[in-house]
Amino acid sequence: MLVRIRERRIEAQDVVSLVLECGDGAELPPWQAGAHIDLKISDDVVRQYSLCSLPAQRDCWRLGVLRQPEGRGGSEAVFALAEGALVEVSAPRNNFALVEAQRYLFVAGGIGITPVLPMIHAADTAGADWRLVYGGRSRKAMAFTQELAGYGDRVELLPEDERGLIDLAAALAWCDDNTLVYACGPEAMLHAIETAMIDHAAALHLERFTPKAQGEGLADEPFEVEFVASGLTRTVPAGTSILSVAEQEGLPVFSSCEQGTCGTCVTAIVSGRADHRDSLLSQAERESNEQLCICVSRAEPGAGPLRLDL
């Protein structure tokens, strides 16, 4: 779907917001807090960005983009887009949906504030009790702070150069048994929250922009995969993904990040056991063995062929 950049605004140091609209004035597809879209700059440059406007605003979508000069070049290309430019986007997908609860703790680090903005609006509108702890390198690098000021003392801003890193123990002490925790930000912060909440993992919801560490010594051996719907059985060599093999066979697969974070390539498992190496599925979803990310995950060693609904 082609959309036009209606507005481009500087929101903080190295952060811009892009407001997107349909060129013909039509309404954009519906979405809910936590959703993201793919933004395609070229055949080789596709990036995921959280929607940070409000779902009720069907005439436009807003994205927040962090410029990352040390990255792979995607953010630089998006950061350089001007008002009036046409860009191709996907329909919204949501791997970070806001579950109804009485109480929420939101923890955001840096550009991780973007999916949280519509979440706190939804929680506030529903009359839930909530708190946001938002950290960044410095005050001038923290985006959307003027917007957040309207929520008063429910929001705690923690610029690192003024107040240090987020005190997760203090933040989590506010939680009770009815509190859900939503967090998005740098991997070090998310790992620390996972560790702190290891005994309360069901209450924790995370969204990652980069893959989490998978550990040392992961086996990477050839295995058999059967694409059930297509009637094909193929060997996936070591160092090659299921996605690559499926693409070589011309199967109808879709992908974007190819790092196990976006959810585009999630595929149903018919039988067999997966060796999950993604940064998306919850522990419960992994244990259910109903789906896997074919861009990074493999068959569990010694568990026999992996049969997929492709």
Side-chain angles (χ1 to χ4, degrees):
M1 176 175 64
L2 277 178
V3 296
R4 181 172 57 203
I5 298 177
R6 177 200 291 179
E7 184 181 1
R8 180 187 186 276
R9 291 184 54 187
I10 302 295
E11 300 290 352
Q13 184 181 61
D14 289 331
V15 178
V16 298
S17 63
L18 302 177
V19 177
L20 312 178
E21 65 179 0
C22 287
D24 59 4
E27 287 190 339
L28 291 161
W31 60 283
Q32 296 299 321
H36 69 272
I37 61 171
D38 294 342
L39 196 155
K40 183 177 181 180
I41 304 302
S42 68
D43 289 341
D44 299 324
V45 180
V46 179
R47 296 292 183 267
Q48 294 76 45
Y49 293 100
S50 297
L51 295 170
C52 62
S53 45
L54 299 179
Q57 294 176 285
R58 296 290 301 280
D59 65 316
C60 66
W61 290 338
R62 184 179 65 174
L63 312 176
V65 180
L66 171 66
R67 185 182 184 187
Q68 296 177 295
E70 73 286 357
R72 295 178 295 160
S75 71
E76 292 275 14
V78 176
F79 203 87
L81 291 171
E83 291 181 359
L86 295 176
V87 291
E88 185 176 346
V89 298
S90 70
R93 296 191 304 275
N94 202 336
N95 305 313
F96 194 42
L98 187 67
V99 178
E100 185 175 347
Q102 299 175 18
R103 213 163 189 246
Y104 300 96
L105 172 65
F106 300 103
V107 183
I111 200 62
I113 189 61
T114 51
V116 173
L117 290 174
M119 287 185 170
I120 62 175
H121 181 270
D124 202 60
T125 300
D129 190 11
W130 64 271
R131 182 187 178 204
L132 166 64
V133 178
Y134 175 23
R137 297 189 313 275
S138 64
R139 197 172 295 272
K140 65 182 180 181
M142 298 172 68
F144 307 110
T145 54
Q146 289 186 345
E147 191 171 317
L148 292 167
Y151 292 108
D153 59 7
R154 286 178 180 263
V155 174
E156 184 177 10
L157 300 181
L158 296 171
E160 184 178 344
D161 60 350
E162 298 176 23
R163 301 185 57 185
L165 296 172
I166 296 173
D167 185 341
L168 290 177
L172 293 172
W174 180 82
C175 300
D176 61 19
D177 291 341
N178 296 314
T179 306
L180 296 185
V181 178
Y182 280 79
C184 185
E187 178 56 31
M189 183 192 86
L190 299 183
H191 177 71
I193 294 175
E194 280 186 309
T195 302
M197 293 189 64
I198 195 167
D199 295 327
H200 305 280
L204 179 61
H205 300 260
L206 303 176
E207 180 158 75
R208 286 181 158 90
F209 294 140
T210 57
K212 64 180 179 181
Q214 297 295 325
E216 299 287 337
L218 289 176
D220 193 2
E221 303 172 354
F223 61 93
E224 296 297 306
V225 60
E226 180 181 345
F227 302 114
V228 175
S230 303
L232 298 174
T233 299
R234 295 291 183 266
T235 298
V236 179
T240 301
S241 68
I242 301 171
L243 173 65
S244 294
V245 172
E247 288 176 332
Q248 291 168 10
E249 296 297 331
L251 301 187
V253 291
F254 301 93
S255 65
S256 182
C257 74
E258 299 189 16
Q259 296 180 312
T261 60
C262 74
T264 306
C265 72
V266 169
T267 300
I269 298 172
V270 177
S271 65
R273 298 290 306 178
D275 175 10
H276 294 287
R277 301 185 182 186
D278 63 276
S279 304
L280 175 71
L281 300 180
S282 68
Q283 187 59 35
E285 288 172 325
R286 291 182 174 207
E287 291 173 358
S288 73
N289 197 55
E290 295 177 352
Q291 56 187 2
L292 82 166
C293 295
I294 61 173
C295 66
V296 291
S297 296
R298 306 180 68 78
E300 186 176 283
L306 190 61
R307 303 177 70 236
L308 304 179
D309 186 18
L310 271 175

